[in-house]
Each structure stands twice: as C-alpha cells, then as structure tokens.
Amino acid sequence: QQPVQSPQAVILREGEDAVINCSSSKALYSVHWYRQKHGEAPVFLMILLKGGEQKGHEKISASFNEKKQQSSLYLTASQLSYSGTYFCGPTSGGGADGLTFGKGTHLIIQP
Amino acid sequence: DAGVTQSPTHLIKTRGQQVTLRCSPKSGHDTVSWYQQALGQGPQFIFQYYEEEERQRGNFPDRFSGHQFPNYSSELNVNALLLGDSALYLCASSSAFGPAGGVSGANVLTFGAGSRLTVL
C-alpha cells in the first residue's frame, strides 16, 4: 500500500525550514527519500534504517519513528536548489523490496 | 563514471502494439529495477532483476515482462499497449551488496532519466 506524504505542496522563501512527513500502513524496516526535479531522474537523498542508522545527505536530516510507522525529512535553511518533488519509499523487510513511493511533496523555494 | 542509461528517451505507440525499453545499469551495479511513473504521481514498482532472474514483482499484469542479460543490462517489454500505459518508465540500478552490509532493502537506487512512452 502506498505511503501517505504530507504536505502535498509547500512554498518557502530561501533560508526557511521545511518538514516533509511520510506515514506507512506497514511496519517499517527502512525509509528511503529521493528528490526529483522537473524532467529529471529521482536522486537519492537518504536512507533511514531500523535501529537508527542513517545514510545520506549532509544538509538534510530525517527522523524515523518505528512505533508510529512514520518518517520525517527536515530541510534546514533551504536553498533554491532544494526545489523539486520529494518522495518517500518505506520498506517493511530487509529483503529485495521494491520501493513503493508516495505521491510526493512538491517543494518550491523562492528567492 | 556513467550512470544509468535508458533508451529510447521518447516514443509513441498505438493501442495494441508492443514496446521494448532498454536499460544499462551504473558501473558496478548488478540489480535492475523498473518503475512506472504516471504524470503527477510517484514511481510505481514493476519488477526487479538480479542474476538474470525476476526477483520481485509489483502489482502489474503479465503484459509487463522483462529480461536481464549477463552484462546486467535489462529490457522491459510491454505487450498489448493500453492508453493507461502512457507514462515515464524509470530504470534504477543498485548493488546486491550495498552500503548496509548486503541487506537489499537498504540499498541506494540510482535512477536513469527514463523513457517517456505515449500510447495513442
């Protein structure tokens, strides 16, 4: 089942902070986060693993709440380059899971 | 270092026709996954290939089939095209022995730019 992302869209001024949420109906093993700019391929941002391990971007952080089956992506002091659509893809197992992405959160950063 | 390359970039077909899309994974990657992305939606998992076998499949009909070659490249075939098959088809590669100590569910996907299919 597809995870639910919120908000659907957000417009910020450069330098402001943003939080993007992802909720899953399944128990979480890991959550993947990707960003896609218009007309381009999705690009990896971060993976959060059960047990607290994180792998990803220097200027973006994220949380992983296993009990609530939720993850949040935190964009601090946003830059123009952060504009794009953000997708989360949770997995419920450590096997060869194909990712089921949410519908995405559209982030627009204005100067 | 070449990333994931896909061909063709754009193509137009008519209902009932068949289409083949191609993907070359990133150097060093051995696993290929295919995703369908409709306009305004997130990518939807079609299937994944590893060691020339389909390892996992999403909720797509048998009209969607694939193949992986010994050099790890892959093809996606769609038969009896429907209007609803119009979408961006993304190929993503990864390594079975990824950064999380071989746990496939934690591997980083590298996506190609996609093949835009329009069915008329």
Side-chain angles (χ1 to χ4, degrees):
Chain A
Q1 195 166 357
Q2 194 173 34
V4 176
Q5 288 186 232
S6 64
Q8 290 185 336
V10 59
I11 301 174
L12 297 174
R13 294 285 184 189
E14 196 174 8
E16 293 181 335
D17 300 339
V19 180
I20 300 172
N21 302 302
C22 175
S23 295
S24 174
S25 60
K26 298 182 179 180
L28 296 181
Y29 172 81
S30 69
V31 179
H32 298 229
W33 287 94
Y34 287 78
R35 177 174 62 210
Q36 185 176 32
K37 294 182 180 288
H38 183 70
E40 299 181 9
V43 173
F44 166 76
L45 292 177
M46 182 167 294
I47 290 177
L48 299 100
L49 302 173
K50 183 177 178 179
E53 184 179 3
Q54 292 190 24
K55 299 179 184 297
H57 202 283
E58 290 181 357
K59 297 184 179 180
I60 297 174
S61 63
S63 65
F64 181 103
N65 189 321
E66 186 182 345
K67 186 175 182 180
K68 292 185 178 180
Q69 298 174 189
Q70 292 178 344
S71 176
S72 295
L73 189 70
Y74 303 97
L75 306 170
T76 305
S78 57
Q79 305 171 11
L80 294 176
S81 63
Y82 287 6
S83 292
T85 302
Y86 289 75
F87 296 101
C88 71
T91 70
S92 56
D97 281 9
L99 296 179
T100 300
F101 289 100
K103 291 186 176 181
T105 294
H106 304 281
L107 178 63
I108 298 173
I109 309 296
Q110 296 178 335
Chain B
D1 180 25
V4 177
T5 57
Q6 293 187 241
S7 64
T9 54
H10 295 83
L11 69 166
I12 300 174
K13 294 285 187 178
T14 57
R15 281 179 296 175
Q17 284 189 315
Q18 178 265 344
V19 66
T20 297
L21 308 178
R22 296 175 177 81
C23 171
S24 292
K26 180 179 177 179
S27 177
H29 285 182
D30 54 13
T31 302
V32 173
S33 302
W34 286 92
Y35 288 81
Q36 180 194 67
Q37 186 175 26
L39 201 60
Q41 301 294 317
Q44 299 301 304
F45 175 68
I46 302 175
F47 43 52
Q48 182 183 82
Y49 277 85
Y50 172 67
E51 292 188 335
E52 302 179 48
E53 291 189 357
E54 183 181 294
R55 186 160 67 174
Q56 189 186 16
R57 189 179 184 92
N59 189 25
F60 278 80
D62 292 344
R63 297 187 297 110
F64 290 77
S65 63
H67 189 79
Q68 186 180 33
F69 299 93
N71 66 352
Y72 308 120
S73 67
S74 178
E75 288 182 350
L76 165 65
N77 300 293
V78 186
N79 294 323
L81 285 168
L82 304 174
L83 294 178
D85 294 332
S86 294
L88 180 67
Y89 288 85
L90 295 165
C91 171
S93 70
S94 58
S95 173
F97 301 96
V103 178
S104 298
N107 284 349
V108 173
L109 297 177
T110 300
F111 282 89
S115 294
R116 173 74 62 186
L117 171 64
T118 301
V119 182
L120 301 177

